[in-house]
Amino acid sequence: MKTKILLSAIATIALLMPSTAMASNHKHRHEARPKARIEHRMHVAHRPAIGTRFSHRPAKGKLIIVNRERMWTANGVLYRMIPTRRGTVYVVAGYLR
């Protein structure tokens, strides 16, 4: 019984394979190319409150290390970088002079 089920599964897979193999060998296939990373810009007219979360990296900033922690600075605001499954979240941690 197990042998018949296994053989029928293999036969089904074998029937589906030639069409997949022919499609993958097509000469004029268009490959999906990854899009270039677009740097997200954030424009804030006022000083954000400490603890405010942003999903985009603030514009015209730079990466610095503070107490062995990677942080991002932009426009006198210090952001803590928190990695998540969906990307990095930027949380306002403080202000620079």
Side-chain angles (χ1 to χ4, degrees), residues 29-94:
R29 178 182 64 175
H30 296 286
E31 294 180 4
R33 296 183 181 155
K35 293 182 180 178
R37 183 178 180 277
I38 299 170
E39 184 175 342
H40 298 287
R41 304 280 184 199
M42 180 186 67
H43 301 285
V44 178
H46 62 284
R47 274 179 112 170
I50 292 179
T52 305
R53 294 176 156 231
F54 296 98
S55 60
H56 302 299
R57 180 170 62 197
K60 298 180 182 177
K62 66 180 182 178
L63 180 70
I64 63 170
I65 305 294
V66 178
N67 294 332
R68 299 182 187 168
E69 186 176 1
R70 294 174 56 179
M71 295 193 154
W72 186 263
T73 62
N75 299 328
V77 181
L78 186 64
Y79 297 90
R80 179 173 285 121
M81 298 169 54
I82 301 174
T84 61
R85 290 183 189 177
R86 295 182 179 174
T88 303
V89 175
Y90 298 88
V91 179
V92 177

Side-chain angles (χ1 to χ4, degrees), residues 10-14 17 23-24 26-28 36 45 47-48 64 66 68 73 81 84 87 95:
I10 292 173
T12 305
I13 292 171
M17 289 301 284
S24 65
H26 194 269
K27 290 183 181 179
H28 301 290
R47 274 179 112 170
I64 63 170
V66 178
R68 299 182 187 168
T73 62
M81 298 169 54
T84 61
Y95 304 106

